Every structure is written in structure tokens, then in C-alpha cells.
Amino acid sequence: MALTRPLRLKAQVSRTRPESSTSSLPIAQVWVDSGVFHLDQGYDYRIPDNLSHLIGVGVRIQVPFHGREVEGLVIARTATAQSGSLKAVSTVISPHSVATAESINLIKAVATRWAAHPYDIIRSAIPPRVASVDKASLFRLTAPDRTRKKMKRSERRYIQIPPFVNRFDFISSIIKDAKNEGSILLLAPDSRSASALHQLLNGSILLDSALDRSERYRNFLSVRNGLNLIVVGTRSAIFAPIEDLSAIVVVDEGSEHHYEQRAPGWNVRDVAILRSINSHCDLTCIGYSPSSEVARLIETQWMSYSSTKSRVNVSIFPPTHGELIPSRLVSEIRKAMKSGPILFISPRKGYSQAIICSKCRNMALCECGGKLVHKGSQSKTECVICARRVDQWQCKWCHGSTPYLLGRGSERFAFEIGATFPGTSIVQSTVENLVENFGSRSGFVIATPGSAPIASDGYAMVIVLEADRFFMQSDIRAHERSREILFSHAALIHQKGAVALVATQEQSMSGALSAWKPSLVSQKELRERQEVDLPPFSRAITLDIDRTESQSLMRGLRKSQEEGRLPQSTRILGATQLKGETDRIILFTPLKDGEDVVKLLHEFQRRRSASKKSLASIRVDPYSLSR
């Protein structure tokens, strides 16, 4: 990984004289969709007179590049070029501008922050063109000059959602009450939430990848050409080209849905922070419990914290013999059934994850080696690999015939709860079979995390089954995610409702839930992370590379550290084996050195690209370090 000096890339110089231009700004600076990682700079092209009136900042054009015609995005028009004879723009792909100077600067900042090519960001930030929408001529071909009003001091705050209220009504009321001189951008973690908020905010514009392509592109152009808007969207809407943006609002900023799955893996929260700083606009995060990153910002007073005084009735019911519902809890459920529906939260979906022999405890396996499972109360035992069904199962080791179910899921819980409370109606809700609202005044709902329907009058009781399992997950965000799950579902009870945690030991979380103060546990988590220099007190970077190259990369990183090009403060962990033929190396570096490390890795990627080597997969501050 020996790095000497930055790459110097050739300009797009033409051997023939291009068509002349008489404009005062005859040069277009263009990001080119070359498909080559190290060709990530802006290139200069001559603008012919016949296209000059169509070409402005944010317009998609077609340009010659290395002997072929490719798409480009105009990022500026200038009077002079860095080189002499230039190639000319071939044609204008669409007359509509799809980016502002501000959103272009944001894309550039995100590409730098996450060691990416600008077009890696553009593919998420700008929806594909739809020719029929372009031809409809519903929008101005060029946006009018708009001057931003004098900006007040930007506000940064986290607003905690109180219990006993409809979260969407609460969020929409904050947006309606906001007195902003300009447009508001509201980011929701998923399409379900975005759609609910869009319906509550009259006149708002929805930007969601789940929309029909034409509708999404039409809405995008409406945002680009509008003023004083309320824009509601999911992840990619953080890049929306809003001319008069005054405030960004992020709902559930710690949600995994806010993390882009494709490379380079940026996330909404950090992009929103970048945009609010660069564009001098307000930033508000709304949720039940802040992520560790936001908790640190609150602790350092970079962001204020707003909450309401609330008390929630929370109790812990430890199982004595591994039972699903402790006997003491059964009587509490019978009492609560008289005042409303009951919500059960299951850690997992499905029926069972595996089967073991109840006599010798050996795993039940098929002849092909796959695990045997039960997929439902009425289903036969079958193999997860070859799908072979077993009518009469018998243990291969002790010949026992009684199976024991491991890793019970929501379907198995529904069966067991139904047997405990016969005659009670039970509704199941999972991500695949989502129930949006529960209108009945009685009955049970069994849901997986994030799939609980909203009860019209709130639930009489919310019961978290096998609560310990939420905290037993191995990734670094297990406690943070569990905290969000417990707070968000506890909030669904009505004013006189109760929360029950089925847990084997006393949880500090119960006190935080009861006082409606996630800081009672998040501060402890922050101190634990700070002691071992883990995020959010350090920048985490994962490098996934072919196993044949992982050791040479490790040597290169250590040599760069010895020579002072990689900060001495950087910890290098690995290489660890992932699935297939891939190894992972993890770097931890203090926040103050994070930018230097990312620059070094970006240059490493560009040199691999220039040498026609396969790129490593780099993720900066990913949601999880282990998957």
C-alpha cells in the first residue's frame, strides 16, 4: 500500500477543433459516469451555441469520453477551462435541472466523507429519467434566481416522542407548528412511515423509491422547481434538490433503514448533519431513544434534548422454569384484558429455528445434513436444505421420538398463547404480513419488532416476550437497538396501560422505561464505549477484500502506519474470515484523524482502479461491524 503522490488525471482534450461558442460562460464542468473509480474528478467540455440555452447546473448531458458516449452531470458553468482545445457536449439528455449548486456540494462532500465516486452517490440521490415526464413540459426548463433570506442561527435538537400518543400525529404537529422561512425536508425510515406522514401533511410532496418510476420522477422535479415546500421522503430524499431548504427533520435517526445498503454505505443521520452545517439550516431528530452518535452530540451540547415528563407502569416477570408466560403474569393479563387489547412482542418471526431431541439434546438433522424445523403448528418436520418432509421423526442417537423446539418464533408463541387463553382472538403481524391498525377493543396482537399495529385507543398491556434475547445479540448496536424497540413499543399503551418484560434478570432498562429517560442507560453505554475507543468516539472502517490479498493489505497498512501516512492512533484488527473467499479488516481511528484515514483509503482505491485491480469494499461508519 505504498502511496507517494496523488494521481494526476488527464483532461478530456480533443485533437479536432470543436464547435465554437459565443457564450460568456462557454465551459461546462461535468461529472462523468465513466464506470471507472479513479476517474472521479470534474471534466471540462465546450458548450456549443445551439445547446447553450439548455445547459445549466444540474442538467444531464451526453459527452464523448474515451471513445464512447456517456452520461454526465453539469456541476458548473465557467468562463475559462484548465486546458486548451476541448471536446464539445454531444447533446442534452433532459432539459430539466435535477440538482442545485447546494445539492451538488452535498454530493461532493458525501463522496469525500465515504471514499466514493460522485456517481456512486448520484445513483441514490437522483432518480432515473422518465422521458414521458420530461416531454410533458410541466416544469420550467431552468429554475428562477432565488436568493435565500437572511439565515437565523441554526438550531440542532432531538425531540423525544412521549408515550400514549400516536407518533405520526405528534410528528406532523411539530412540522405544522414550525415557523420556517423556506422548505422543510422530513426523512422517515421506511415507506410505511413516510406514507402515513405524507397523508397527514396536506400539500406535502412524497419522495420514495417505492413509488412508480414516473410518479417518483415527477415529484422529484416538483421539488426541484418549488418553494416553501414540505417534502416527505425515505433515505435517498436527503439529497433532494430543494432551493430554499430551511430545516431537516429525521425520524428514528438510528434505524438501520436509514443506512444505504449499496456502496459506499452512507447514512441519513450523518448526511443530514453535513447538509445542515454546509447549508446553515435547522436540524431536528425525532424519536423515542437517540442513537449512540446522537447521544454523544447531546452530551457535548452540540444538540439540545427535548422531552416531556412521563411515567410508565413497567414490571419485570422472570420465568422460573423457562416458560413463555410466567404464572404471575397470566393473572395480570387476565385483568388487563378487561380494559383493552394486549400486544405481545416476539423477538423472532416463524415457528421454530431448529429441533433437538428432548431426551439426549442432540440436533435433529436430515440425511443431507440440513437442520430439521417446524414451520407451523400444522406443518410436518422438514429439512431447511432439501425440503424433505419427515412423517415419524426419531433421534439418530438415542432413538427418542419427542422433539424439542429451539428458537421459538411469533407463530409458535401464537399457538402457545392461544392454548393458555382459549377463545381469545389472536392477530399476527410481521414485516411480510403487516397489520397497519388494530381497531378491536379486545383480543391479542402478536408482532415482531417494528411490525406492531397502532391500536385506536392504545393497548391495555404491552408484553415483551423473551426480553433478554434482544440484549444478547452480538453486534455493537444490540443495546442501542433493544432500547429503541422497548421504548417505541412501550409507547403504544394507553394512559392506564402497563408494560411487562419477561426477563430472567433485573434490567436497568425497566427504570429508564418507567421514567421515560433513555439517558439512564445510554450514558452508561457511552462510558463503556469511550473506555475502549469504540464508536461513536472513534471512526470505524471495514475493508472487505479477497482472501488472497488480505495479508498483503495488512502489511501495507502497518507499513503506512510506520511511515506516518496512516495515523499512529489507528487500530488495525483482522483479517477475519467472512463468507466465501472474503476477509475483513477493521480500522478504528479517533474522530480527529478520521478524515486523514478516509483520504488514504480513497487514494488506495483509486490506485487499485488505475492498475485495473478489483476494488476493496470499504464502509465508513457502517451500521454493523460483523455483517
Side-chain angles (χ1 to χ4, degrees):
M1 188 171 168
L3 303 179
T4 53
R5 60 183 185 279
L7 289 171
R8 295 187 179 275
L9 305 175
K10 295 180 180 178
Q12 283 295 289
V13 179
S14 174
R15 295 181 181 178
T16 59
R17 183 178 180 83
E19 188 174 343
S20 62
S21 175
T22 59
S23 169
S24 61
L25 298 174
I27 308 300
Q29 291 184 349
V30 181
W31 277 330
V32 177
D33 188 10
S34 63
V36 182
F37 185 86
H38 67 278
L39 303 181
D40 57 353
Q41 68 185 49
Y43 290 91
D44 290 342
Y45 284 87
R46 180 76 63 185
I47 301 174
D49 277 345
N50 64 319
L51 299 178
S52 183
H53 68 289
L54 295 174
I55 295 178
V57 172
V59 169
R60 288 188 271 208
I61 60 175
Q62 187 170 300
V63 295
F65 194 86
H66 280 269
R68 58 195 178 100
E69 294 289 322
V70 299
E71 180 181 312
L73 182 74
V74 178
I75 58 176
R77 282 189 66 157
T78 62
T80 59
Q82 294 180 348
S83 56
S85 182
L86 302 178
K87 290 183 179 180
V89 174
S90 301
T91 188
V92 173
I93 295 175
S94 169
H96 298 296
S97 169
V98 291
T100 62
E102 185 261 353
S103 65
I104 287 171
N105 287 336
L106 177 65
I107 291 169
K108 183 178 180 180
V110 171
T112 301
R113 166 74 166 75
W114 275 271
H117 190 292
Y119 254 90
D120 292 336
I121 312 301
I122 289 171
R123 271 182 273 276
S124 298
I126 302 174
R129 170 182 177 258
V130 178
S132 60
V133 176
D134 273 351
K135 293 176 182 178
S137 300
L138 298 174
F139 310 99
R140 300 182 182 93
L141 298 184
T142 56
D145 291 333
R146 294 161 183 168
T147 56
R148 185 186 294 271
K149 295 181 179 180
K150 186 177 181 180
M151 295 298 297
K152 61 182 182 355
R153 185 177 181 273
S154 298
E155 293 183 356
R156 302 155 183 163
R157 56 180 180 164
Y158 184 96
I159 300 177
Q160 186 190 27
I161 304 173
F164 322 129
V165 302
N166 183 299
R167 66 194 300 260
F168 299 125
D169 290 340
F170 178 80
I171 294 167
S172 63
S173 68
I174 291 175
I175 302 301
K176 292 174 182 176
D177 293 341
K179 296 179 181 179
N180 292 287
E181 298 181 352
S183 296
I184 299 175
L185 175 59
L186 174 60
L187 285 309
D190 51 56
S191 298
R192 174 193 180 195
S193 301
S195 178
L197 290 167
H198 170 58
Q199 291 176 16
L200 289 171
L201 295 167
N202 294 331
S204 62
I205 300 176
L206 181 63
L207 291 181
D208 184 3
S209 58
L211 293 173
D212 171 85
R213 277 188 59 174
S214 296
E215 184 179 4
R216 182 189 178 196
Y217 185 51
R218 187 180 297 109
N219 288 358
F220 185 86
L221 292 180
S222 296
V223 169
R224 173 65 182 92
N225 293 278
L227 288 172
N228 299 314
L229 306 172
I230 296 177
V231 181
V232 181
T234 50
R235 191 168 55 226
S236 62
I238 185 59
F239 298 99
I242 302 172
E243 193 76 35
D244 61 337
L245 181 64
S246 66
I248 302 172
V249 180
V250 183
V251 179
D252 298 338
E253 46 78 29
S255 170
E256 186 174 3
H257 295 295
H258 279 310
Y259 284 72
E260 175 59 44
Q261 297 178 358
R262 298 175 295 181
W266 51 268
N267 69 79
V268 169
R269 176 193 56 246
D270 291 346
V271 176
I273 290 172
L274 266 178
R275 188 168 192 178
S276 69
I277 293 172
N278 294 343
S279 301
H280 307 287
C281 62
D282 294 344
L283 173 62
T284 300
C285 294
I286 304 177
Y288 292 101
S289 176
S291 65
S292 58
E293 287 84 356
V294 167
R296 184 186 72 85
L297 294 178
I298 293 170
E299 189 174 73
T300 60
Q301 298 184 346
W302 188 89
M303 179 177 281
S304 65
Y305 183 80
S306 174
S307 64
T308 55
K309 291 184 179 181
S310 300
R311 297 293 299 182
V312 177
N313 181 6
V314 181
S315 302
I316 291 183
F317 297 86
T320 54
H321 302 290
E323 67 272 25
L324 179 65
I325 302 178
S327 56
R328 190 164 61 90
L329 178 57
V330 172
S331 59
E332 294 297 321
I333 293 174
R334 294 193 188 281
K335 293 178 185 177
M337 290 171 65
K338 299 175 183 178
S339 59
I342 310 291
L343 172 64
F344 294 86
I345 301 299
S346 166
R348 294 176 297 265
K349 63 180 180 179
Y351 195 78
S352 74
Q353 307 299 309
I355 296 172
I356 61 173
C357 176
S358 59
K359 183 177 180 182
C360 69
R361 297 296 176 176
N362 275 301
M363 185 71 69
L365 300 176
C366 176
E367 294 176 359
C368 73
K371 289 193 300 183
L372 295 177
V373 298
H374 265 309
K375 292 187 176 180
S377 59
Q378 303 301 318
S379 302
K380 292 184 178 180
T381 303
E382 65 178 73
C383 175
V384 296
I385 295 178
C386 69
R388 177 176 174 267
R389 294 189 175 184
V390 180
D391 294 325
Q392 298 292 329
W393 177 82
Q394 189 175 56
C395 179
K396 294 180 181 179
W397 303 95
C398 70
H399 303 294
S401 58
T402 305
Y404 180 82
L405 302 179
L406 282 180
R408 295 173 296 180
S410 58
E411 291 183 28
R412 175 63 185 180
F413 290 157
F415 177 79
E416 294 185 21
I417 292 170
T420 306
F421 300 93
T424 306
S425 63
I426 297 177
V427 172
Q428 296 186 57
S429 180
T430 62
V431 174
E432 292 80 5
N433 297 291
L434 192 66
V435 178
E436 294 282 357
N437 295 286
F438 187 73
S440 177
R441 295 183 179 275
S442 63
F444 293 163
V445 176
I446 300 176
T448 52
S451 303
I454 295 174
S456 54
D457 296 319
Y459 290 98
M461 179 175 277
V462 170
I463 301 168
V464 182
L465 301 169
E466 297 186 346
D468 293 328
R469 291 193 177 275
F470 290 108
F471 297 91
M472 292 168 59
Q473 298 170 17
S474 60
D475 70 290
I476 194 173
R477 293 193 185 270
H479 282 259
E480 176 185 311
R481 186 168 54 248
S482 301
R483 189 169 68 246
E484 171 66 22
I485 288 171
L486 294 185
F487 270 88
S488 61
H489 290 92
L492 298 177
I493 60 174
H494 58 58
Q495 284 279 0
K496 296 182 179 180
V499 176
L501 307 180
V502 180
T504 57
Q505 55 187 350
E506 180 69 26
Q507 289 279 0
S508 58
M509 187 64 73
S510 62
L513 271 175
S514 179
W516 208 248
K517 289 184 178 180
S519 59
L520 295 180
V521 287
S522 65
Q523 288 178 351
K524 180 176 179 289
E525 293 169 15
L526 285 178
R527 298 291 73 78
E528 291 172 348
R529 291 193 184 193
Q530 189 174 25
E531 288 176 4
V532 291
D533 294 323
L534 285 177
F537 298 97
S538 65
R539 182 139 292 165
I541 304 171
T542 62
L543 294 89
D544 296 349
I545 196 166
D546 190 90
R547 189 158 301 141
T548 59
E549 298 186 85
S550 61
Q551 292 306 315
S552 62
L553 177 55
M554 286 287 292
R555 290 191 294 270
L557 289 168
R558 298 194 186 282
K559 184 177 180 181
S560 296
Q561 198 168 37
E562 292 171 2
E563 296 174 352
R565 288 177 285 113
L566 183 65
Q568 292 293 324
S569 57
T570 304
R571 286 185 294 156
I572 307 171
L573 306 180
T576 58
Q577 183 175 339
L578 299 179
K579 292 181 180 179
E581 298 298 318
T582 303
D583 281 355
R584 170 167 291 178
I585 298 169
I586 301 177
L587 306 181
F588 290 111
T589 190
L591 296 177
K592 63 182 178 65
D593 296 328
E595 187 175 334
D596 292 336
V597 175
V598 172
K599 283 182 179 178
L600 182 73
L601 295 177
H602 194 178
E603 188 66 18
F604 163 70
Q605 289 281 73
R606 297 173 80 229
R607 288 182 176 273
R608 286 186 68 87
S609 174
S611 302
K612 298 184 178 180
K613 295 180 180 179
S614 60
L615 299 180
S617 175
I618 296 178
R619 293 293 176 111
V620 180
D621 294 329
Y623 180 79
S624 174
L625 299 174
S626 56
R627 51 190 169 95

